[in-house]
Amino acid sequence: PIPCVPCLPRLNHLCWIVAMTRMMIVVIARERELFATGTVIPEYPGGYGSYGNYSSGYSYARYGNDNADEEASGYSILSSTGELTMPSDWEGLPSSTYKAGEFCLAGAWEGGPPAGVGEHQAVAVACEPCQSEVFCAAVRELFLSSKVRGNPEIVDDRQFGANGLVRVADKNDDDAINFDEFKTVLEEYLGKVFNFLDSDKDGYLGEDVSIKSLSAKLFLKAVDEAYLFLDNSQDDLLSVDDVPEGTFRDRNDDGKISLREVFRVSLINLPAPLYRLYATLDRDKNEKISFEEATNFIKGTLYVIDQNEDCSISTDEIIATLKESKLPSEYQLAMKLLGDYYITLADYCLRKVVMAADADGDKKTSLADIIGMKDPSVFFSIIDVALKWASLTGVLLSFCIGEGRHSSRDHRQAVQEMWLNVLYDFVDNSKYDSVPENFCQLE
């Protein structure tokens, strides 16, 4: 008989998390879930091995040996030093190695598959670290859904966003993204969001964290990230040339795609508000948005909206700006209610997550605390609240776009024209041409 190594002292608690994980993300509950479980079959002194053949959420195992060729072909090894290496049953993910004391071996499996544990076999059970962490488990699902089936890595397959994703996340310059690289770049983005929320820069978030007022620097940083991701030619210009080949048709066969071919109408023939928006953004009207043009447009927009000149944007300032752009009062009210609702809901969700991640209860949550969260129950609570209140916004949204039970075609058209007029007044604001050079110390 093979003794069970003493481990998993909080097994009951961890099993509860497995049940919660099934409720939250069904796809996660396909195979190993929180535990990596396999049948280990000894064949000669010096090693055990496991072989991937998965059924009913468990992995069965067959004996291998200590050489790399066996491991590469699907076997994993229980070495003479007591370490167990199991290949991932998720394509493209690295193998997991468990040290002695981090897994159990047992000769019987109560409630296991009908075939049971065969003679000279054993069951191996180990905690799956990634699945035990909410962030890592979510990243894994996103990684698996982003790559092409049959390819263990994300590659530039000429789909929209693939080139940018590889450019941003590829750390070893092999023109592909493995799981570790994908996880690293998402941790970096999470860290950037964390730093913006950390207003006092002490490395922690508290129960008063809020997004009711967003810093102007956040918007410029978003532009910078957008160009890094979308500018495939890396020339600091966004144009039709940056979209995947074949997205738009070269209708006049001149070897290039113009915006006229994209919109099927000359830009000058667009509705006046839309052309005004384009002209405000693309100052030289060369159908290419330079990084400088985009940055100046964002600065101008912030300068128009920032009524109290504190270099941040709030819902009240947006409503005040819409009022200046002649938005009717009833629509101002609807936009105010919508803005307050979504901001309040976002603050509620953010604070719930931050407090749930506070493992030691000191009311201070670090980035590492959030990344290492293990209990997903807070997300079920958030989803439940959001779903219960979602219907409240439906009426307001319908009103804002002219929809409704008794809405006519003429009314919907009148509402669209009203919004176009508001847009024209907004982008025609003279502040776009008079942004101070040192506005909010934005570079």
Side-chain angles (χ1 to χ4, degrees):
I2 302 173
C4 184
V5 181
C7 68
L8 307 180
R10 300 181 64 191
L11 188 59
N12 291 335
H13 174 67
L14 293 174
C15 286
W16 175 79
I17 294 179
V18 172
M20 299 302 284
T21 303
R22 282 185 177 140
M23 293 172 60
M24 182 177 70
I25 306 176
V26 176
V27 179
I28 287 179
R30 287 183 299 186
E31 291 166 321
R32 254 192 336 209
E33 299 173 354
L34 188 64
F35 300 106
T37 305
T39 306
V40 177
I41 307 175
E43 186 168 286
Y44 66 82
Y48 298 100
S50 65
Y51 178 75
N53 176 18
Y54 306 101
S55 174
S56 303
Y58 298 98
S59 60
Y60 300 93
R62 188 179 308 172
Y63 173 74
N65 59 42
D66 289 328
N67 65 61
D69 291 338
E70 290 287 348
E71 184 173 356
S73 64
Y75 290 89
S76 65
I77 307 303
L78 178 59
S79 69
S80 57
T81 60
E83 292 187 346
L84 176 66
T85 301
M86 298 180 68
S88 175
D89 47 314
W90 301 83
E91 182 183 41
L93 300 188
S95 299
S96 298
T97 298
Y98 306 95
K99 296 180 181 179
E102 294 179 343
F103 61 92
C104 290
L105 295 179
W109 184 353
E110 183 177 349
V117 180
E119 187 177 0
H120 305 303
Q121 295 181 355
V123 177
V125 181
C127 287
E128 173 55 74
C130 182
Q131 191 57 45
S132 300
E133 297 177 357
V134 178
F135 177 79
C136 187
V139 170
R140 180 167 66 179
E141 288 304 311
L142 184 58
F143 174 79
L144 294 170
S145 65
S146 299
K147 69 184 186 65
V148 177
R149 180 174 299 218
N151 195 323
E153 298 179 314
I154 298 175
V155 297
D156 179 11
D157 57 359
R158 297 186 179 182
Q159 297 297 315
F160 180 75
N163 184 285
L165 184 58
V166 171
R167 183 170 54 253
V168 170
D170 179 21
K171 304 297 183 181
N172 59 4
D173 297 323
D174 64 349
D175 295 325
I177 309 171
N178 58 37
F179 174 71
D180 289 335
E181 290 173 323
F182 188 74
K183 182 172 179 285
T184 296
V185 77
L186 289 187
E187 286 178 348
E188 290 173 355
Y189 278 120
L190 181 61
K192 291 175 182 179
V193 174
F194 184 94
N195 290 334
F196 275 110
L197 295 173
D198 181 16
S199 57
D200 58 6
K201 305 305 177 186
D202 66 345
Y204 296 96
L205 300 180
E207 56 188 356
D208 59 344
V209 62
S210 176
I211 61 169
K212 286 186 177 180
S213 183
L214 296 178
S215 168
K217 292 183 179 180
L218 174 62
F219 295 95
L220 282 193
K221 185 62 177 176
V223 173
D224 187 54
E225 295 292 341
Y227 269 76
L228 183 63
F229 189 83
L230 299 175
D231 182 15
N232 290 327
S233 57
Q234 291 293 281
D235 56 1
D236 285 340
L237 296 171
L238 288 184
S239 66
V240 180
D241 296 334
D242 290 306
V243 303
E245 186 178 351
T247 302
F248 301 109
R249 179 184 170 188
D250 181 10
R251 298 181 181 278
N252 58 5
D253 296 321
D254 64 350
K256 59 182 180 180
I257 308 294
S258 67
L259 291 182
R260 178 171 185 167
E261 290 169 309
V262 172
F263 296 117
R264 299 190 181 187
V265 63
S266 175
L267 294 179
I268 196 65
N269 290 326
L270 289 172
L274 297 180
Y275 182 78
R276 181 61 178 169
L277 173 63
Y278 164 73
T280 304
L281 179 57
D282 185 12
R283 291 288 184 170
D284 57 12
K285 302 180 183 64
N286 67 344
E287 299 191 6
K288 297 181 179 181
I289 310 300
S290 69
F291 180 76
E292 181 181 2
E293 287 174 329
T295 299
N296 289 336
F297 178 80
I298 293 298
K299 287 182 178 179
T301 302
L302 294 171
Y303 188 45
V304 170
I305 297 176
D306 187 15
Q307 303 279 321
N308 59 7
E309 299 182 356
D310 66 346
C311 297
S312 62
I313 302 299
S314 67
T315 303
D316 289 339
E317 288 176 315
I318 294 175
I319 301 303
T321 304
L322 291 175
K323 180 179 180 181
E324 292 177 355
S325 300
K326 303 181 180 61
L327 180 69
S329 58
E330 62 270 30
Y331 288 92
Q332 293 177 38
L333 175 60
M335 292 297 291
K336 169 68 173 173
L337 293 173
L338 282 172
D340 287 347
Y341 168 80
Y342 285 116
I343 293 295
T344 302
L345 179 61
D347 274 357
Y348 168 83
C349 297
L350 179 61
R351 290 169 181 172
K352 291 282 286 186
V353 171
V354 167
M355 290 298 97
D358 178 21
D360 56 10
D362 63 353
K363 297 185 178 181
K364 295 168 63 177
T365 302
S366 67
L367 176 61
D369 289 333
I370 294 176
I371 292 177
M373 280 185 68
K374 297 184 181 299
D375 186 354
S377 59
V378 64
F379 295 98
F380 307 142
S381 172
I382 288 173
I383 293 173
D384 184 56
V385 170
L387 291 177
K388 285 180 178 178
W389 293 90
S391 60
L392 292 179
T393 61
V395 175
L396 290 172
L397 288 171
S398 295
F399 173 76
C400 287
I401 62 176
E403 296 289 348
R405 182 178 300 177
H406 303 294
S407 177
S408 65
R409 181 178 178 180
D410 289 342
H411 174 69
R412 289 193 295 272
Q413 184 173 349
V415 171
Q416 292 173 7
E417 292 175 356
M418 179 269 296
W419 280 111
L420 286 173
N421 288 329
V422 170
L423 174 63
Y424 187 91
D425 286 342
F426 182 87
V427 295
D428 196 45
N429 195 305
S430 60
K431 285 188 173 182
Y432 274 103
D433 299 316
S434 58
V435 180
E437 291 186 5
N438 63 341
F439 175 66
C440 294
Q441 287 77 50
L442 298 178
E443 298 180 358

